[in-house]
Amino acid sequence: MMNWNDMGPGMGFGMGFGWLFGLLILVLLVLAIAALIKYLRK
């Protein structure tokens, strides 16, 4: 909580986009792994 003021107004923006971006990365990662498994199984 020491750096709370340093983050400022961008905090709400960061939090809102943080989980959304994380979710997008997770989905892409899952798709990439699935494609890799399909490719290796041939």
Side-chain angles (χ1 to χ4, degrees):
M1 288 297 264
M2 292 287 279
N3 298 14
W4 196 256
N5 286 336
D6 292 346
M7 293 177 178
M11 194 59 195
F13 180 80
M15 288 295 269
F17 261 109
W19 70 269
L20 196 72
F21 196 66
L23 198 70
L24 187 70
I25 296 253
L26 198 71
V27 169
L28 286 172
L29 199 68
V30 168
L31 284 172
I33 290 167
L36 194 68
I37 289 168
K38 258 188 186 178
Y39 178 75
L40 289 173
R41 271 188 155 173
K42 261 198 266 185

